[in-house]
Amino acid sequence: VREAECLLLGLDLPAGDTGLDVLEAVGNCSPGTAVIVLTGTADPAVAATALALGARGFLTKDCRPEVLRDAVSSAYNGETVIAEALVGPVLRALTSRQRSVRDVQLVLSRLTPREQEVLRLLGDGLTRGDIARKLRVSPHTARTHLQRLLVKLSLHSQLEAAAYARQLFQAS
């Protein structure tokens, strides 16, 4: 059985399971699958939960077809996509969920200077492409730095890293 490359997932499922249950199961069984939640609910708390569970995207069912097409491509390439109207509220929801920042230096000591710089730029709202241009590195190199810092900080997405960075650097 081949692993799916991308999965569009609804949240309202028959038979008692929720889309979030399925999302968690997909993450455990097929971690390489890029999951985009497609729902009629524009709830930032639900979106934050889905992203924390590993979804690479959260869109509402009323999005335009070209937005969905671009989201599939972006998620497949490792980027996080979210309905434009939900970006601010989801960032706030993710920030409020983040673990408390006890010791900024301890967190930063786990990262290389370049990874720290990437984390700061994420917190400033830059995309991976913007970061690559600002640091004068290839998009692939920027992606590698991002992936390494996600692993080191036990984060699941670029959006979650941006929220974490905002909280972390506000505390310092």
Side-chain angles (χ1 to χ4, degrees):
V1 176
R2 277 188 47 204
E3 185 174 287
E5 293 176 357
C6 191
L7 171 68
L8 295 177
L9 177 64
L11 292 182
D12 299 320
L13 302 175
D17 284 335
T18 70
L20 296 176
D21 295 329
V22 173
L23 174 60
E24 191 168 20
V26 169
N28 292 332
C29 298
S30 183
T33 299
V35 179
I36 299 173
V37 173
L38 190 61
T39 181
T41 306
D43 183 343
V46 173
T49 298
L51 293 167
L53 288 172
R56 292 239 188 100
F58 193 93
L59 298 173
T60 56
K61 290 180 180 177
D62 62 353
C63 71
R64 295 185 322 279
E66 59 272 14
V67 170
L68 183 57
R69 179 200 62 220
D70 293 346
V72 169
S73 176
S74 295
Y76 175 76
N77 288 317
E79 297 177 27
T80 301
V81 292
I82 187 163
E84 191 174 323
L86 289 174
V87 172
V90 168
L91 271 174
R92 284 189 290 282
L94 284 171
T95 299
S96 69
R97 289 174 172 217
Q98 295 297 329
R99 60 196 95 137
S100 63
V101 181
R102 293 190 188 106
D103 187 351
V104 173
Q105 294 302 62
L106 178 63
V107 170
L108 294 180
S109 72
R110 295 187 286 180
L111 303 176
T112 66
R114 184 61 97 178
E115 290 164 350
Q116 290 177 28
E117 193 171 5
V118 169
L119 186 62
R120 284 185 190 277
L121 294 172
L122 282 171
D124 291 341
L126 274 67
T127 66
R128 193 172 65 213
D130 295 335
I131 291 170
R133 284 187 288 283
K134 182 153 180 86
L135 299 180
R136 298 176 191 244
V137 298
S138 74
H140 178 75
T141 299
R143 180 180 181 188
T144 299
H145 290 309
L146 175 61
Q147 289 173 331
R148 288 183 180 157
L149 77 86
L150 290 175
V151 168
K152 289 179 180 180
L153 298 178
S154 299
L155 301 172
H156 298 95
S157 69
Q158 182 173 328
L159 186 62
E160 188 177 10
Y164 182 80
R166 285 181 172 207
Q167 182 183 26
L168 180 72
F169 296 120
Q170 284 177 353
S172 61

